[in-house]
PDB file of all heavy atoms in Angstrom:
ATOM      1  N   ILE A  47      23.636  -2.353  -3.596  1.00  0.00           N
ATOM      2  CA  ILE A  47      22.334  -3.021  -3.715  1.00  0.00           C
ATOM      3  C   ILE A  47      22.453  -4.474  -3.269  1.00  0.00           C
ATOM      4  O   ILE A  47      21.616  -4.974  -2.513  1.00  0.00           O
ATOM      5  CB  ILE A  47      21.794  -2.926  -5.159  1.00  0.00           C
ATOM      6  CG1 ILE A  47      21.457  -1.469  -5.501  1.00  0.00           C
ATOM      7  CG2 ILE A  47      20.568  -3.816  -5.347  1.00  0.00           C
ATOM      8  CD1 ILE A  47      21.160  -1.219  -6.967  1.00  0.00           C
ATOM      9  N   ALA A  48      23.513  -5.151  -3.723  1.00  0.00           N
ATOM     10  CA  ALA A  48      23.728  -6.552  -3.336  1.00  0.00           C
ATOM     11  C   ALA A  48      23.865  -6.674  -1.824  1.00  0.00           C
ATOM     12  O   ALA A  48      23.276  -7.572  -1.207  1.00  0.00           O
ATOM     13  CB  ALA A  48      24.962  -7.110  -4.036  1.00  0.00           C
ATOM     14  N   ASN A  49      24.606  -5.749  -1.200  1.00  0.00           N
ATOM     15  CA  ASN A  49      24.760  -5.779   0.258  1.00  0.00           C
ATOM     16  C   ASN A  49      23.441  -5.548   0.964  1.00  0.00           C
ATOM     17  O   ASN A  49      23.109  -6.252   1.918  1.00  0.00           O
ATOM     18  CB  ASN A  49      25.779  -4.719   0.713  1.00  0.00           C
ATOM     19  CG  ASN A  49      27.205  -5.181   0.499  1.00  0.00           C
ATOM     20  OD1 ASN A  49      27.482  -6.374   0.462  1.00  0.00           O
ATOM     21  ND2 ASN A  49      28.104  -4.236   0.351  1.00  0.00           N
ATOM     22  N   ILE A  50      22.684  -4.560   0.501  1.00  0.00           N
ATOM     23  CA  ILE A  50      21.393  -4.250   1.119  1.00  0.00           C
ATOM     24  C   ILE A  50      20.447  -5.439   1.024  1.00  0.00           C
ATOM     25  O   ILE A  50      19.743  -5.772   1.978  1.00  0.00           O
ATOM     26  CB  ILE A  50      20.765  -2.999   0.455  1.00  0.00           C
ATOM     27  CG1 ILE A  50      21.581  -1.753   0.831  1.00  0.00           C
ATOM     28  CG2 ILE A  50      19.306  -2.836   0.846  1.00  0.00           C
ATOM     29  CD1 ILE A  50      21.269  -0.527  -0.012  1.00  0.00           C
ATOM     30  N   LEU A  51      20.448  -6.106  -0.148  1.00  0.00           N
ATOM     31  CA  LEU A  51      19.537  -7.231  -0.364  1.00  0.00           C
ATOM     32  C   LEU A  51      20.112  -8.548   0.151  1.00  0.00           C
ATOM     33  O   LEU A  51      19.450  -9.573   0.088  1.00  0.00           O
ATOM     34  CB  LEU A  51      19.205  -7.352  -1.856  1.00  0.00           C
ATOM     35  CG  LEU A  51      18.483  -6.146  -2.462  1.00  0.00           C
ATOM     36  CD1 LEU A  51      18.266  -6.364  -3.956  1.00  0.00           C
ATOM     37  CD2 LEU A  51      17.160  -5.883  -1.761  1.00  0.00           C
ATOM     38  N   ASP A  52      21.358  -8.500   0.649  1.00  0.00           N
ATOM     39  CA  ASP A  52      22.017  -9.672   1.202  1.00  0.00           C
ATOM     40  C   ASP A  52      22.120 -10.806   0.189  1.00  0.00           C
ATOM     41  O   ASP A  52      21.741 -11.943   0.459  1.00  0.00           O
ATOM     42  CB  ASP A  52      21.289 -10.129   2.481  1.00  0.00           C
ATOM     43  CG  ASP A  52      22.122 -11.130   3.267  1.00  0.00           C
ATOM     44  OD1 ASP A  52      23.367 -11.045   3.199  1.00  0.00           O
ATOM     45  OD2 ASP A  52      21.537 -12.014   3.929  1.00  0.00           O
ATOM     46  N   ILE A  53      22.595 -10.452  -0.997  1.00  0.00           N
ATOM     47  CA  ILE A  53      22.790 -11.446  -2.050  1.00  0.00           C
ATOM     48  C   ILE A  53      24.151 -11.221  -2.695  1.00  0.00           C
ATOM     49  O   ILE A  53      24.794 -10.208  -2.461  1.00  0.00           O
ATOM     50  CB  ILE A  53      21.693 -11.355  -3.151  1.00  0.00           C
ATOM     51  CG1 ILE A  53      21.685  -9.967  -3.791  1.00  0.00           C
ATOM     52  CG2 ILE A  53      20.330 -11.724  -2.610  1.00  0.00           C
ATOM     53  CD1 ILE A  53      20.823  -9.865  -5.017  1.00  0.00           C
ATOM     54  N   ASP A  54      24.567 -12.185  -3.498  1.00  0.00           N
ATOM     55  CA  ASP A  54      25.810 -12.060  -4.251  1.00  0.00           C
ATOM     56  C   ASP A  54      25.576 -11.104  -5.416  1.00  0.00           C
ATOM     57  O   ASP A  54      24.520 -11.159  -6.055  1.00  0.00           O
ATOM     58  CB  ASP A  54      26.210 -13.449  -4.777  1.00  0.00           C
ATOM     59  CG  ASP A  54      27.643 -13.471  -5.296  1.00  0.00           C
ATOM     60  OD1 ASP A  54      27.941 -12.687  -6.223  1.00  0.00           O
ATOM     61  OD2 ASP A  54      28.435 -14.264  -4.781  1.00  0.00           O
ATOM     62  N   ILE A  55      26.545 -10.266  -5.695  1.00  0.00           N
ATOM     63  CA  ILE A  55      26.397  -9.311  -6.798  1.00  0.00           C
ATOM     64  C   ILE A  55      26.103 -10.024  -8.114  1.00  0.00           C
ATOM     65  O   ILE A  55      25.388  -9.504  -8.963  1.00  0.00           O
ATOM     66  CB  ILE A  55      27.631  -8.385  -6.917  1.00  0.00           C
ATOM     67  CG1 ILE A  55      27.323  -7.224  -7.871  1.00  0.00           C
ATOM     68  CG2 ILE A  55      28.867  -9.165  -7.329  1.00  0.00           C
ATOM     69  CD1 ILE A  55      28.332  -6.101  -7.829  1.00  0.00           C
ATOM     70  N   LYS A  56      26.604 -11.242  -8.270  1.00  0.00           N
ATOM     71  CA  LYS A  56      26.350 -12.002  -9.510  1.00  0.00           C
ATOM     72  C   LYS A  56      24.854 -12.255  -9.710  1.00  0.00           C
ATOM     73  O   LYS A  56      24.408 -12.409 -10.838  1.00  0.00           O
ATOM     74  CB  LYS A  56      27.106 -13.330  -9.489  1.00  0.00           C
ATOM     75  CG  LYS A  56      28.612 -13.159  -9.617  1.00  0.00           C
ATOM     76  CD  LYS A  56      29.319 -14.468  -9.882  1.00  0.00           C
ATOM     77  CE  LYS A  56      29.251 -15.445  -8.744  1.00  0.00           C
ATOM     78  NZ  LYS A  56      30.301 -15.334  -7.737  1.00  0.00           N
ATOM     79  N   ASP A  57      24.100 -12.307  -8.609  1.00  0.00           N
ATOM     80  CA  ASP A  57      22.658 -12.533  -8.711  1.00  0.00           C
ATOM     81  C   ASP A  57      21.913 -11.322  -9.265  1.00  0.00           C
ATOM     82  O   ASP A  57      20.735 -11.417  -9.617  1.00  0.00           O
ATOM     83  CB  ASP A  57      22.071 -12.902  -7.345  1.00  0.00           C
ATOM     84  CG  ASP A  57      22.574 -14.250  -6.865  1.00  0.00           C
ATOM     85  OD1 ASP A  57      22.948 -15.090  -7.719  1.00  0.00           O
ATOM     86  OD2 ASP A  57      22.602 -14.468  -5.647  1.00  0.00           O
ATOM     87  N   LEU A  58      22.586 -10.175  -9.327  1.00  0.00           N
ATOM     88  CA  LEU A  58      21.960  -8.960  -9.846  1.00  0.00           C
ATOM     89  C   LEU A  58      22.243  -8.744 -11.326  1.00  0.00           C
ATOM     90  O   LEU A  58      21.675  -7.861 -11.942  1.00  0.00           O
ATOM     91  CB  LEU A  58      22.472  -7.727  -9.082  1.00  0.00           C
ATOM     92  CG  LEU A  58      21.981  -7.561  -7.661  1.00  0.00           C
ATOM     93  CD1 LEU A  58      22.644  -6.351  -7.028  1.00  0.00           C
ATOM     94  CD2 LEU A  58      20.472  -7.428  -7.613  1.00  0.00           C
ATOM     95  N   ILE A  59      23.156  -9.544 -11.874  1.00  0.00           N
ATOM     96  CA  ILE A  59      23.604  -9.300 -13.235  1.00  0.00           C
ATOM     97  C   ILE A  59      23.201 -10.469 -14.121  1.00  0.00           C
ATOM     98  O   ILE A  59      23.426 -11.632 -13.763  1.00  0.00           O
ATOM     99  CB  ILE A  59      25.132  -9.110 -13.277  1.00  0.00           C
ATOM    100  CG1 ILE A  59      25.530  -7.947 -12.379  1.00  0.00           C
ATOM    101  CG2 ILE A  59      25.600  -8.876 -14.710  1.00  0.00           C
ATOM    102  CD1 ILE A  59      27.010  -7.877 -12.098  1.00  0.00           C
ATOM    103  N   LEU A  60      22.597 -10.155 -15.255  1.00  0.00           N
ATOM    104  CA  LEU A  60      22.294 -11.202 -16.230  1.00  0.00           C
ATOM    105  C   LEU A  60      23.581 -11.597 -16.915  1.00  0.00           C
ATOM    106  O   LEU A  60      24.312 -10.742 -17.406  1.00  0.00           O
ATOM    107  CB  LEU A  60      21.310 -10.689 -17.284  1.00  0.00           C
ATOM    108  CG  LEU A  60      19.855 -10.651 -16.881  1.00  0.00           C
ATOM    109  CD1 LEU A  60      19.031 -10.063 -18.031  1.00  0.00           C
ATOM    110  CD2 LEU A  60      19.348 -12.022 -16.533  1.00  0.00           C
ATOM    111  N   SER A  61      23.838 -12.884 -16.940  1.00  0.00           N
ATOM    112  CA  SER A  61      25.060 -13.365 -17.579  1.00  0.00           C
ATOM    113  C   SER A  61      24.993 -13.097 -19.072  1.00  0.00           C
ATOM    114  O   SER A  61      23.943 -13.201 -19.688  1.00  0.00           O
ATOM    115  CB  SER A  61      25.200 -14.869 -17.337  1.00  0.00           C
ATOM    116  OG  SER A  61      26.293 -15.355 -18.073  1.00  0.00           O
TER     117      SER A  61
END
Side-chain angles (χ1 to χ4, degrees):
I47 293 169
N49 281 335
I50 290 166
L51 298 178
D52 194 30
I53 59 170
D54 193 301
I55 192 167
K56 290 192 294 272
D57 293 334
L58 288 176
I59 302 167
L60 280 178
S61 174

